[in-house]
Amino acid sequence: MIAKTHFAARIMLIALFCCNTALALPLVEKQTFTTKQFALFSGKVLPEVTVGWESYGELNEAKDNVILITHYFSGSSHAAGKYHEDDAQPGYWDAIIGPGKPIDTSKYFVISVDSLANLSAYDDNVITTGPASVNPETNKPYGLDFPVVTIRDFVNVQKAVLESLGIRKLHAVIGPSMGSMQAIDWASAYPQWVPRMVSVIGSGQSDAWTTAALEHWARPIRLDKNWNDGDYTRQEPPTEGLVSALMLITQQALHPAFFNQQGNSIDYQPVEPAPLEDIRQSHSIVNWLEQRARSRADKMDANHLLYLVRACQLFVAGHKDSLQQGLSTIKAKTLFMPAANDLLLMPYLSTRTYEQLRKAGKNSHYAELQGNLGHLEGVLDIQEQGEKLKSFLNDDK
Amino acid sequence: MIAKTHFAARIMLIALFCCNTALALPLVEKQTFTTKQFALFSGKVLPEVTVGWESYGELNEAKDNVILITHYFSGSSHAAGKYHEDDAQPGYWDAIIGPGKPIDTSKYFVISVDSLANLSAYDDNVITTGPASVNPETNKPYGLDFPVVTIRDFVNVQKAVLESLGIRKLHAVIGPSMGSMQAIDWASAYPQWVPRMVSVIGSGQSDAWTTAALEHWARPIRLDKNWNDGDYTRQEPPTEGLVSALMLITQQALHPAFFNQQGNSIDYQPVEPAPLEDIRQSHSIVNWLEQRARSRADKMDANHLLYLVRACQLFVAGHKDSLQQGLSTIKAKTLFMPAANDLLLMPYLSTRTYEQLRKAGKNSHYAELQGNLGHLEGVLDIQEQGEKLKSFLNDDK
């Protein structure tokens, strides 16, 4: 018995300190969900919806240990773990999702679903239905015949996935950025499902500023001659417009304090010879930003970007006439985590939502992410508030 | 004598309280300046430069009462006054330029010059040389054959205008935004000319962040199918690209606190029927922003915008290897006036420049503009720091 315990302890020590595999998730497998005649918030109907999803941890017998993660604009359901041992990176929130981590997969069944019109339509690890999907009525891609979809529709797809697994209630819903919109909409639209909601770098509504700001992401795509009113082929897509959009999104999701470090690392100089000599040349920092965007563009669909922009523009909690109305139905204990130097969804958007909930007498909490990344602090540095998140999730409601 | 004084006093009272003409500038007349074989900072030569300029107040005999105003990105030399009695608006800084105002035209000769590649190339009140000008070697518009021009070149054109009037020294140089870059470059490149320099909503250099951010203004134009590598006609210009650029510039020059007031005034709702029904429709706030941009676009030239972007991207004080080097030659007493909630040229850019000057033992001052406009605070609400500006200008150096 002593020898056996000693052996187990050694194995555990090796696991913890040598290979660290005790803290890693098992390899992740993408699942597929399909439903027919899916009714949208607009009243229109999609003949078929197919989306991908993935999960970490085990669903308990009572099916009441479920944490739903709702993803950001250019993200997917790959929130944690790796598909293959040799993946360069795990899912985006791997720092907080796993055994013993703040979102503890030894306790919770953590699940995430690819959005409709997911940006990365041509990523092998993303399964989505959107304007690039084949319209069963024409056997051609939908293009702009695809109906406008909303944050509520993403929520309803997630709800259908959960219901297909026999789940009728969440332990919590948590999401960053566009994922925060989904989390808030969940709490507003389905209050009986949601006892806990965490909004990271988010907003309770797209105000006039945000709706207009999102439009700048769409316009370069519509200007691209290959876009052709949304009717293009996989062989001749509007790549230049998409690259422009991604460059803008990337910069707006960062903060000068971080961005200028990148400038330093490529020895940025204002008076560079090439852009002084030739209007067609660019500064090295611009080339860096463009190359970064271009390397991501080939897995993405430009029309999908337009539809995601629209979904975000149309967002207000509960899709009601006002933020106040939308928040009024929320029963969840809520936590708002803006990033202090976020320039894309500035902290006032979280503060306003949090304060309205407090004013209405609801159980709402607030904790800012610090650091110099800007908006992306909520994706790349979320572990900074890991303890706060952990105690929020584990407290009784 | 008593009667005469009484009469003069009555005239003054009538002037002050009845028509208020004592505080208004006389009507302004645009002047033209031409020079040949103009050597640019890049080493290239423009065969001819023609620019407009205007002035307010009288040049004294010693020609030492000159205040130069350097204009912002979409501005012109029309800094104050009206061309006609029935002009809807006076020049942009009319609130601080005029008899008895902080920049007092009863003491100073105030002068401003249209930039090279001025954005409003087709405005009757703007005279500029840029890519839309006819290349005397081909008798066709330059297009992208126009050489890259820099903030230093704008400064050197201004210097040539001043020298043509027999002026050899300024009392002060003052400018907002891109005008601040010119003012700082003046102080660095020609320290003997500049005893006083005021940088409003400006920067001592375009850092990596700013250079990349400016690129987003250029890309929609290059995407427009009418742009055609800069070779387009006045009849078929790249208007859609230009409108996209102007929409982005307008929003970045404002702050949500102000922008959302506009949203309120058009009864902004996230869930609007038209954009929910049709991906080709937009929210009313987007339409407002677009209409505003479109109404300005027909007097502007898209290539000119690209060249102004480049001039700003290439800027560092003195066009030296570093900000520190550029600031080292400055002899002027300096004043930095960022806008506290500026999202376009954030206050850190002014602070950094101010602090480097202080560190080098120079006579530098700092005063923030408050208010909710964002960057445009420095154009539309500058009078808020009028007294500070007045005492800065009137103090002995």
Side-chain angles (χ1 to χ4, degrees), chain A residues 44 148 206-207 209 211 213 216 219 223 229 244 251 256 260 268-269 275-278 280-281 290 310 321, chain B residues 44 148 206-207 209 211 213 216 219 223 229 244 251 256 260 268-269 275-278 280-281 290 310 321 348:
Chain A
K44 296 182 182 173
V148 168
S206 292
D207 57 359
W209 171 268
T211 295
H216 307 301
R219 292 188 66 95
L223 282 166
D229 202 37
S244 289
Q251 183 156 8
N260 286 332
Y268 169 72
Q269 295 289 334
L276 176 63
E277 174 65 26
D278 184 355
R280 293 178 180 84
Q281 297 289 318
E290 180 173 340
R310 179 55 51 83
D321 287 343
Chain B
K44 296 182 182 173
V148 168
S206 292
D207 57 359
W209 171 267
T211 295
H216 307 300
R219 291 188 66 95
L223 282 165
D229 202 36
S244 289
Q251 183 155 8
N260 285 332
Y268 169 73
Q269 295 289 332
L276 176 62
E277 175 63 27
D278 184 356
R280 294 178 180 85
Q281 297 289 317
E290 178 172 342
R310 179 55 50 84
D321 287 342
Y348 79 86

Short mmCIF file of all heavy atoms in Angstrom, two decimals, chain A residues 44 148 206-207 209 211 213 216 219 223 229 244 251 256 260 268-269 275-278 280-281 290 310 321, chain B residues 44 148 206-207 209 211 213 216 219 223 229 244 251 256 260 268-269 275-278 280-281 290 310 321 348:
data_model
loop_
_atom_site.label_atom_id
_atom_site.label_comp_id
_atom_site.label_asym_id
_atom_site.label_seq_id
_atom_site.Cartn_x
_atom_site.Cartn_y
_atom_site.Cartn_z
N LYS A 44 -37.30 35.78 -40.60
CA LYS A 44 -36.95 34.90 -41.73
C LYS A 44 -36.53 33.52 -41.22
O LYS A 44 -36.29 33.34 -40.02
CB LYS A 44 -35.84 35.55 -42.57
CG LYS A 44 -36.32 36.87 -43.20
CD LYS A 44 -35.29 37.52 -44.06
CE LYS A 44 -35.86 38.85 -44.61
NZ LYS A 44 -34.88 39.65 -45.32
N VAL A 148 -30.04 38.72 -42.88
CA VAL A 148 -29.31 39.36 -41.77
C VAL A 148 -29.50 38.49 -40.52
O VAL A 148 -30.61 38.04 -40.23
CB VAL A 148 -29.86 40.79 -41.52
CG1 VAL A 148 -29.33 41.35 -40.20
CG2 VAL A 148 -29.49 41.70 -42.69
N SER A 206 -24.76 48.30 -28.62
CA SER A 206 -23.97 49.11 -29.54
C SER A 206 -24.59 50.49 -29.56
O SER A 206 -25.71 50.65 -30.05
CB SER A 206 -23.96 48.49 -30.93
OG SER A 206 -23.25 47.27 -30.91
N ASP A 207 -23.87 51.47 -29.00
CA ASP A 207 -24.40 52.84 -29.06
C ASP A 207 -24.12 53.43 -30.44
O ASP A 207 -23.57 52.76 -31.33
CB ASP A 207 -23.79 53.68 -27.92
CG ASP A 207 -22.27 53.70 -27.94
OD1 ASP A 207 -21.68 53.05 -28.81
OD2 ASP A 207 -21.69 54.39 -27.08
N TRP A 209 -21.99 55.57 -31.45
CA TRP A 209 -20.55 55.56 -31.73
C TRP A 209 -20.10 54.19 -32.24
O TRP A 209 -19.40 54.09 -33.26
CB TRP A 209 -19.78 55.91 -30.45
CG TRP A 209 -18.30 55.73 -30.56
CD1 TRP A 209 -17.59 54.62 -30.23
CD2 TRP A 209 -17.36 56.69 -31.08
NE1 TRP A 209 -16.26 54.82 -30.49
CE2 TRP A 209 -16.08 56.08 -31.00
CE3 TRP A 209 -17.46 57.98 -31.57
CZ2 TRP A 209 -14.92 56.73 -31.41
CZ3 TRP A 209 -16.31 58.63 -31.98
CH2 TRP A 209 -15.07 58.02 -31.90
N THR A 211 -21.87 51.61 -33.43
CA THR A 211 -22.50 51.22 -34.69
C THR A 211 -21.82 51.90 -35.88
O THR A 211 -21.56 51.26 -36.91
CB THR A 211 -24.00 51.58 -34.65
OG1 THR A 211 -24.61 50.79 -33.63
CG2 THR A 211 -24.68 51.31 -35.97
N ALA A 213 -18.69 53.11 -35.81
CA ALA A 213 -17.29 52.64 -35.85
C ALA A 213 -17.19 51.29 -36.56
O ALA A 213 -16.23 51.03 -37.30
CB ALA A 213 -16.73 52.54 -34.44
N HIS A 216 -16.88 51.16 -40.52
CA HIS A 216 -15.58 51.34 -41.19
C HIS A 216 -14.91 50.00 -41.50
O HIS A 216 -14.03 49.94 -42.34
CB HIS A 216 -14.65 52.21 -40.33
CG HIS A 216 -15.25 53.51 -39.92
ND1 HIS A 216 -15.68 54.45 -40.84
CD2 HIS A 216 -15.53 54.04 -38.70
CE1 HIS A 216 -16.19 55.50 -40.19
NE2 HIS A 216 -16.11 55.27 -38.90
N ARG A 219 -16.78 48.89 -45.01
CA ARG A 219 -16.68 49.66 -46.25
C ARG A 219 -15.54 49.24 -47.18
O ARG A 219 -15.73 49.22 -48.41
CB ARG A 219 -16.65 51.16 -45.94
CG ARG A 219 -17.99 51.66 -45.38
CD ARG A 219 -18.02 53.17 -45.26
NE ARG A 219 -17.98 53.80 -46.56
CZ ARG A 219 -19.05 54.19 -47.24
NH1 ARG A 219 -20.27 54.00 -46.75
NH2 ARG A 219 -18.92 54.78 -48.41
N LEU A 223 -15.84 48.21 -51.26
CA LEU A 223 -15.11 48.98 -52.28
C LEU A 223 -14.30 48.09 -53.20
O LEU A 223 -13.96 48.49 -54.32
CB LEU A 223 -14.16 49.98 -51.62
CG LEU A 223 -14.79 51.26 -51.07
CD1 LEU A 223 -13.80 51.96 -50.14
CD2 LEU A 223 -15.21 52.19 -52.20
N ASP A 229 -20.96 43.19 -55.21
CA ASP A 229 -22.23 43.10 -54.48
C ASP A 229 -22.39 41.75 -53.78
O ASP A 229 -23.49 41.20 -53.67
CB ASP A 229 -23.40 43.37 -55.43
CG ASP A 229 -24.65 43.81 -54.65
OD1 ASP A 229 -24.52 44.56 -53.66
OD2 ASP A 229 -25.76 43.40 -55.04
N SER A 244 -7.73 45.16 -45.79
CA SER A 244 -7.89 46.51 -45.22
C SER A 244 -8.73 46.47 -43.94
O SER A 244 -8.40 47.12 -42.95
CB SER A 244 -8.57 47.44 -46.23
OG SER A 244 -7.71 47.73 -47.29
N GLN A 251 -5.60 47.01 -35.48
CA GLN A 251 -5.09 48.20 -34.79
C GLN A 251 -6.05 48.68 -33.71
O GLN A 251 -5.65 49.03 -32.60
CB GLN A 251 -4.77 49.32 -35.78
CG GLN A 251 -4.16 50.52 -35.05
CD GLN A 251 -3.31 51.42 -35.91
OE1 GLN A 251 -3.26 51.26 -37.13
NE2 GLN A 251 -2.63 52.36 -35.27
N PRO A 256 -1.78 52.05 -28.29
CA PRO A 256 -0.44 52.54 -28.66
C PRO A 256 0.66 52.01 -27.74
O PRO A 256 1.77 51.72 -28.21
CB PRO A 256 -0.56 54.06 -28.53
CG PRO A 256 -2.00 54.37 -28.63
CD PRO A 256 -2.76 53.14 -28.23
N ASN A 260 3.35 50.40 -30.11
CA ASN A 260 4.65 51.05 -30.31
C ASN A 260 5.81 50.16 -29.90
O ASN A 260 6.93 50.36 -30.36
CB ASN A 260 4.68 52.40 -29.58
CG ASN A 260 3.85 53.44 -30.32
OD1 ASN A 260 3.69 53.37 -31.55
ND2 ASN A 260 3.30 54.39 -29.60
N TYR A 268 11.20 51.17 -35.94
CA TYR A 268 10.39 52.15 -36.65
C TYR A 268 11.04 53.54 -36.67
O TYR A 268 11.50 54.04 -35.66
CB TYR A 268 9.01 52.27 -35.95
CG TYR A 268 8.23 53.45 -36.46
CD1 TYR A 268 7.68 53.42 -37.73
CD2 TYR A 268 8.09 54.60 -35.69
CE1 TYR A 268 7.00 54.51 -38.22
CE2 TYR A 268 7.41 55.69 -36.18
CZ TYR A 268 6.86 55.65 -37.44
OH TYR A 268 6.21 56.73 -37.92
N GLN A 269 11.10 54.15 -37.86
CA GLN A 269 11.59 55.52 -38.04
C GLN A 269 10.57 56.29 -38.85
O GLN A 269 10.14 55.81 -39.89
CB GLN A 269 12.90 55.51 -38.85
CG GLN A 269 14.08 54.85 -38.16
CD GLN A 269 14.61 55.65 -37.00
OE1 GLN A 269 14.46 56.87 -36.97
NE2 GLN A 269 15.18 54.98 -36.01
N PRO A 275 9.15 55.15 -48.22
CA PRO A 275 7.94 55.98 -48.34
C PRO A 275 8.22 57.45 -48.63
O PRO A 275 7.32 58.16 -49.11
CB PRO A 275 7.27 55.82 -46.96
CG PRO A 275 8.33 55.32 -46.04
CD PRO A 275 9.29 54.56 -46.88
N LEU A 276 9.43 57.92 -48.39
CA LEU A 276 9.79 59.30 -48.77
C LEU A 276 10.05 59.38 -50.27
O LEU A 276 9.72 60.36 -50.93
CB LEU A 276 11.04 59.75 -48.00
CG LEU A 276 11.61 61.13 -48.36
CD1 LEU A 276 10.60 62.24 -48.05
CD2 LEU A 276 12.93 61.40 -47.63
N GLU A 277 10.58 58.31 -50.82
CA GLU A 277 10.95 58.27 -52.23
C GLU A 277 9.73 58.04 -53.12
O GLU A 277 9.64 58.58 -54.22
CB GLU A 277 11.98 57.14 -52.43
CG GLU A 277 12.38 56.86 -53.87
CD GLU A 277 13.11 58.02 -54.51
OE1 GLU A 277 13.73 58.82 -53.78
OE2 GLU A 277 13.04 58.14 -55.75
N ASP A 278 8.78 57.21 -52.65
CA ASP A 278 7.74 56.71 -53.56
C ASP A 278 6.40 56.61 -52.82
O ASP A 278 6.29 55.89 -51.84
CB ASP A 278 8.17 55.31 -54.06
CG ASP A 278 7.21 54.73 -55.08
OD1 ASP A 278 6.16 55.35 -55.35
OD2 ASP A 278 7.51 53.63 -55.60
N ARG A 280 3.93 54.99 -53.59
CA ARG A 280 3.41 53.62 -53.64
C ARG A 280 4.04 52.71 -52.57
O ARG A 280 3.57 51.61 -52.34
CB ARG A 280 3.63 53.00 -55.02
CG ARG A 280 2.81 53.66 -56.15
CD ARG A 280 3.15 53.00 -57.47
NE ARG A 280 2.40 53.57 -58.59
CZ ARG A 280 2.76 54.66 -59.26
NH1 ARG A 280 3.86 55.33 -58.93
NH2 ARG A 280 2.02 55.09 -60.27
N GLN A 281 5.12 53.15 -51.96
CA GLN A 281 5.77 52.37 -50.89
C GLN A 281 5.16 52.74 -49.54
O GLN A 281 4.54 53.80 -49.41
CB GLN A 281 7.27 52.67 -50.86
CG GLN A 281 8.01 52.26 -52.11
CD GLN A 281 8.13 50.75 -52.24
OE1 GLN A 281 8.40 50.07 -51.25
NE2 GLN A 281 7.91 50.23 -53.43
N GLU A 290 0.03 44.99 -42.53
CA GLU A 290 -0.60 44.42 -43.73
C GLU A 290 -0.28 42.93 -43.87
O GLU A 290 -1.17 42.12 -44.16
CB GLU A 290 -0.15 45.18 -44.98
CG GLU A 290 -0.78 44.60 -46.24
CD GLU A 290 -0.52 45.41 -47.50
OE1 GLU A 290 -0.18 46.60 -47.39
OE2 GLU A 290 -0.68 44.84 -48.59
N ARG A 310 -22.89 43.60 -39.00
CA ARG A 310 -24.31 43.94 -38.88
C ARG A 310 -24.90 43.37 -37.58
O ARG A 310 -25.67 44.05 -36.89
CB ARG A 310 -25.08 43.43 -40.10
CG ARG A 310 -26.60 43.72 -40.08
CD ARG A 310 -26.93 45.21 -39.87
NE ARG A 310 -26.24 46.10 -40.76
CZ ARG A 310 -26.62 46.39 -42.00
NH1 ARG A 310 -27.71 45.87 -42.49
NH2 ARG A 310 -25.91 47.23 -42.74
N ASP A 321 -36.20 47.72 -27.07
CA ASP A 321 -36.16 49.11 -27.52
C ASP A 321 -35.12 49.96 -26.80
O ASP A 321 -34.74 51.03 -27.27
CB ASP A 321 -37.54 49.76 -27.33
CG ASP A 321 -38.54 49.25 -28.36
OD1 ASP A 321 -38.09 48.69 -29.38
OD2 ASP A 321 -39.75 49.41 -28.14
N LYS B 44 13.93 66.05 -54.60
CA LYS B 44 13.29 66.30 -55.89
C LYS B 44 12.92 67.78 -56.02
O LYS B 44 12.94 68.52 -55.03
CB LYS B 44 12.06 65.42 -56.05
CG LYS B 44 12.46 63.93 -56.06
CD LYS B 44 11.28 63.00 -56.26
CE LYS B 44 11.79 61.55 -56.20
NZ LYS B 44 10.73 60.57 -56.22
N VAL B 148 6.51 62.80 -53.48
CA VAL B 148 6.10 62.82 -52.07
C VAL B 148 6.51 64.16 -51.47
O VAL B 148 7.64 64.62 -51.69
CB VAL B 148 6.77 61.65 -51.30
CG1 VAL B 148 6.59 61.80 -49.79
CG2 VAL B 148 6.20 60.31 -51.78
N SER B 206 5.18 61.42 -35.60
CA SER B 206 4.25 60.32 -35.83
C SER B 206 4.93 59.06 -35.34
O SER B 206 5.91 58.60 -35.93
CB SER B 206 3.91 60.22 -37.32
OG SER B 206 3.15 61.34 -37.70
N ASP B 207 4.42 58.49 -34.25
CA ASP B 207 4.99 57.24 -33.76
C ASP B 207 4.44 56.07 -34.59
O ASP B 207 3.66 56.28 -35.54
CB ASP B 207 4.71 57.07 -32.26
CG ASP B 207 3.23 57.12 -31.92
OD1 ASP B 207 2.41 57.31 -32.84
OD2 ASP B 207 2.89 56.98 -30.72
N TRP B 209 2.27 53.83 -33.97
CA TRP B 209 0.81 53.79 -33.89
C TRP B 209 0.17 54.77 -34.86
O TRP B 209 -0.74 54.41 -35.62
CB TRP B 209 0.37 54.12 -32.45
CG TRP B 209 -1.10 54.31 -32.30
CD1 TRP B 209 -1.78 55.50 -32.38
CD2 TRP B 209 -2.09 53.30 -32.08
NE1 TRP B 209 -3.12 55.29 -32.20
CE2 TRP B 209 -3.34 53.95 -32.01
CE3 TRP B 209 -2.03 51.92 -31.91
CZ2 TRP B 209 -4.53 53.25 -31.79
CZ3 TRP B 209 -3.21 51.23 -31.69
CH2 TRP B 209 -4.44 51.89 -31.64
N THR B 211 1.47 56.38 -37.49
CA THR B 211 1.78 56.10 -38.89
C THR B 211 0.89 54.98 -39.42
O THR B 211 0.36 55.07 -40.54
CB THR B 211 3.28 55.72 -39.03
OG1 THR B 211 4.05 56.87 -38.68
CG2 THR B 211 3.62 55.28 -40.44
N ALA B 213 -2.07 54.13 -38.11
CA ALA B 213 -3.46 54.61 -38.05
C ALA B 213 -3.80 55.48 -39.27
O ALA B 213 -4.91 55.42 -39.80
CB ALA B 213 -3.69 55.39 -36.76
N HIS B 216 -5.02 53.72 -42.62
CA HIS B 216 -6.41 53.33 -42.81
C HIS B 216 -7.22 54.40 -43.56
O HIS B 216 -8.26 54.10 -44.11
CB HIS B 216 -7.08 53.02 -41.47
CG HIS B 216 -6.32 52.04 -40.63
ND1 HIS B 216 -6.05 50.76 -41.07
CD2 HIS B 216 -5.76 52.13 -39.41
CE1 HIS B 216 -5.36 50.11 -40.13
NE2 HIS B 216 -5.18 50.92 -39.12
N ARG B 219 -6.26 53.61 -47.50
CA ARG B 219 -6.58 52.35 -48.16
C ARG B 219 -7.93 52.33 -48.88
O ARG B 219 -8.03 51.76 -49.99
CB ARG B 219 -6.46 51.18 -47.18
CG ARG B 219 -5.00 50.92 -46.78
CD ARG B 219 -4.84 49.66 -45.97
NE ARG B 219 -5.15 48.48 -46.74
CZ ARG B 219 -4.24 47.74 -47.39
NH1 ARG B 219 -2.97 48.07 -47.35
NH2 ARG B 219 -4.61 46.67 -48.05
N LEU B 223 -8.61 51.30 -52.93
CA LEU B 223 -9.50 50.20 -53.28
C LEU B 223 -10.56 50.60 -54.31
O LEU B 223 -11.13 49.75 -54.99
CB LEU B 223 -10.22 49.68 -52.02
CG LEU B 223 -9.41 48.78 -51.10
CD1 LEU B 223 -10.10 48.66 -49.74
CD2 LEU B 223 -9.20 47.39 -51.71
N ASP B 229 -4.83 53.56 -59.83
CA ASP B 229 -3.43 53.91 -59.53
C ASP B 229 -3.20 55.43 -59.61
O ASP B 229 -2.13 55.91 -60.01
CB ASP B 229 -2.48 53.17 -60.49
CG ASP B 229 -1.07 53.07 -59.91
OD1 ASP B 229 -0.92 52.90 -58.68
OD2 ASP B 229 -0.10 53.19 -60.69
N SER B 244 -15.45 57.03 -47.87
CA SER B 244 -15.08 56.11 -46.78
C SER B 244 -13.98 56.70 -45.91
O SER B 244 -14.03 56.62 -44.68
CB SER B 244 -14.60 54.78 -47.36
OG SER B 244 -15.66 54.08 -47.93
N GLN B 251 -15.08 60.40 -37.73
CA GLN B 251 -15.35 59.73 -36.47
C GLN B 251 -14.13 59.74 -35.56
O GLN B 251 -14.25 59.99 -34.35
CB GLN B 251 -15.81 58.28 -36.70
CG GLN B 251 -16.15 57.59 -35.38
CD GLN B 251 -17.13 56.45 -35.50
OE1 GLN B 251 -17.48 56.03 -36.59
NE2 GLN B 251 -17.59 55.96 -34.36
N PRO B 256 -16.87 59.59 -28.37
CA PRO B 256 -18.24 59.07 -28.14
C PRO B 256 -19.13 60.04 -27.36
O PRO B 256 -20.33 60.12 -27.65
CB PRO B 256 -18.00 57.79 -27.34
CG PRO B 256 -16.61 57.37 -27.61
CD PRO B 256 -15.84 58.59 -28.02
N ASN B 260 -22.37 60.47 -29.55
CA ASN B 260 -23.64 59.89 -29.12
C ASN B 260 -24.73 60.94 -28.93
O ASN B 260 -25.92 60.61 -28.97
CB ASN B 260 -23.43 59.05 -27.86
CG ASN B 260 -22.75 57.73 -28.18
OD1 ASN B 260 -22.88 57.20 -29.28
ND2 ASN B 260 -21.99 57.20 -27.23
N TYR B 268 -31.31 57.50 -32.38
CA TYR B 268 -30.61 56.25 -32.69
C TYR B 268 -31.17 55.06 -31.91
O TYR B 268 -31.36 55.12 -30.71
CB TYR B 268 -29.11 56.40 -32.37
CG TYR B 268 -28.39 55.08 -32.41
CD1 TYR B 268 -28.14 54.47 -33.63
CD2 TYR B 268 -28.02 54.43 -31.25
CE1 TYR B 268 -27.52 53.23 -33.69
CE2 TYR B 268 -27.39 53.19 -31.30
CZ TYR B 268 -27.15 52.61 -32.52
OH TYR B 268 -26.55 51.39 -32.57
N GLN B 269 -31.45 53.96 -32.61
CA GLN B 269 -31.89 52.70 -32.01
C GLN B 269 -31.03 51.58 -32.57
O GLN B 269 -30.88 51.48 -33.79
CB GLN B 269 -33.35 52.39 -32.40
CG GLN B 269 -34.37 53.37 -31.88
CD GLN B 269 -34.58 53.26 -30.38
OE1 GLN B 269 -34.39 52.19 -29.82
NE2 GLN B 269 -34.95 54.35 -29.74
N PRO B 275 -31.84 48.09 -41.44
CA PRO B 275 -30.63 47.24 -41.42
C PRO B 275 -30.89 45.82 -40.92
O PRO B 275 -30.09 44.92 -41.19
CB PRO B 275 -29.67 47.99 -40.48
CG PRO B 275 -30.52 48.90 -39.67
CD PRO B 275 -31.70 49.25 -40.53
N LEU B 276 -31.98 45.59 -40.20
CA LEU B 276 -32.34 44.22 -39.80
C LEU B 276 -32.93 43.45 -40.99
O LEU B 276 -32.70 42.26 -41.16
CB LEU B 276 -33.36 44.25 -38.64
CG LEU B 276 -33.91 42.89 -38.17
CD1 LEU B 276 -32.80 42.00 -37.61
CD2 LEU B 276 -35.00 43.08 -37.11
N GLU B 277 -33.63 44.16 -41.82
CA GLU B 277 -34.31 43.56 -42.96
C GLU B 277 -33.34 43.28 -44.12
O GLU B 277 -33.47 42.28 -44.82
CB GLU B 277 -35.43 44.52 -43.43
CG GLU B 277 -36.17 44.13 -44.69
CD GLU B 277 -36.94 42.81 -44.53
OE1 GLU B 277 -37.31 42.48 -43.39
OE2 GLU B 277 -37.14 42.12 -45.55
N ASP B 278 -32.36 44.16 -44.31
CA ASP B 278 -31.58 44.13 -45.56
C ASP B 278 -30.12 44.48 -45.28
O ASP B 278 -29.82 45.57 -44.80
CB ASP B 278 -32.21 45.15 -46.54
CG ASP B 278 -31.54 45.13 -47.90
OD1 ASP B 278 -30.54 44.38 -48.09
OD2 ASP B 278 -32.00 45.86 -48.79
N ARG B 280 -27.99 45.40 -47.25
CA ARG B 280 -27.56 46.55 -48.06
C ARG B 280 -27.98 47.90 -47.45
O ARG B 280 -27.53 48.94 -47.88
CB ARG B 280 -28.12 46.45 -49.48
CG ARG B 280 -27.55 45.29 -50.31
CD ARG B 280 -28.19 45.26 -51.68
NE ARG B 280 -27.69 44.18 -52.52
CZ ARG B 280 -28.16 42.92 -52.51
NH1 ARG B 280 -29.12 42.58 -51.68
NH2 ARG B 280 -27.64 42.02 -53.32
N GLN B 281 -28.89 47.85 -46.46
CA GLN B 281 -29.32 49.07 -45.78
C GLN B 281 -28.41 49.35 -44.59
O GLN B 281 -27.72 48.43 -44.11
CB GLN B 281 -30.75 48.93 -45.28
CG GLN B 281 -31.78 48.75 -46.38
CD GLN B 281 -31.99 50.02 -47.18
OE1 GLN B 281 -32.07 51.10 -46.62
NE2 GLN B 281 -32.04 49.88 -48.50
N GLU B 290 -22.26 59.18 -43.43
CA GLU B 290 -21.94 59.08 -44.86
C GLU B 290 -22.38 60.35 -45.62
O GLU B 290 -21.63 60.88 -46.44
CB GLU B 290 -22.62 57.85 -45.47
CG GLU B 290 -22.35 57.74 -46.97
CD GLU B 290 -22.83 56.45 -47.60
OE1 GLU B 290 -23.07 55.48 -46.86
OE2 GLU B 290 -22.96 56.43 -48.83
N ARG B 310 0.74 60.74 -46.26
CA ARG B 310 2.17 60.43 -46.31
C ARG B 310 3.00 61.51 -45.61
O ARG B 310 3.95 61.20 -44.87
CB ARG B 310 2.62 60.24 -47.77
CG ARG B 310 4.10 59.94 -47.95
CD ARG B 310 4.56 58.72 -47.15
NE ARG B 310 3.73 57.54 -47.34
CZ ARG B 310 3.86 56.66 -48.33
NH1 ARG B 310 4.81 56.82 -49.22
NH2 ARG B 310 3.06 55.62 -48.41
N ASP B 321 16.62 62.01 -37.15
CA ASP B 321 16.57 60.58 -36.87
C ASP B 321 15.75 60.24 -35.63
O ASP B 321 15.35 59.09 -35.44
CB ASP B 321 17.98 60.02 -36.71
CG ASP B 321 18.69 59.92 -38.04
OD1 ASP B 321 17.99 59.96 -39.08
OD2 ASP B 321 19.93 59.84 -38.05
N TYR B 348 -0.90 61.74 -24.95
CA TYR B 348 0.46 61.27 -24.66
C TYR B 348 1.48 61.79 -25.68
O TYR B 348 2.66 61.96 -25.37
CB TYR B 348 0.52 59.74 -24.55
CG TYR B 348 0.54 59.00 -25.88
CD1 TYR B 348 1.74 58.76 -26.56
CD2 TYR B 348 -0.64 58.53 -26.46
CE1 TYR B 348 1.76 58.08 -27.78
CE2 TYR B 348 -0.63 57.84 -27.66
CZ TYR B 348 0.56 57.62 -28.32
OH TYR B 348 0.58 56.95 -29.52
#
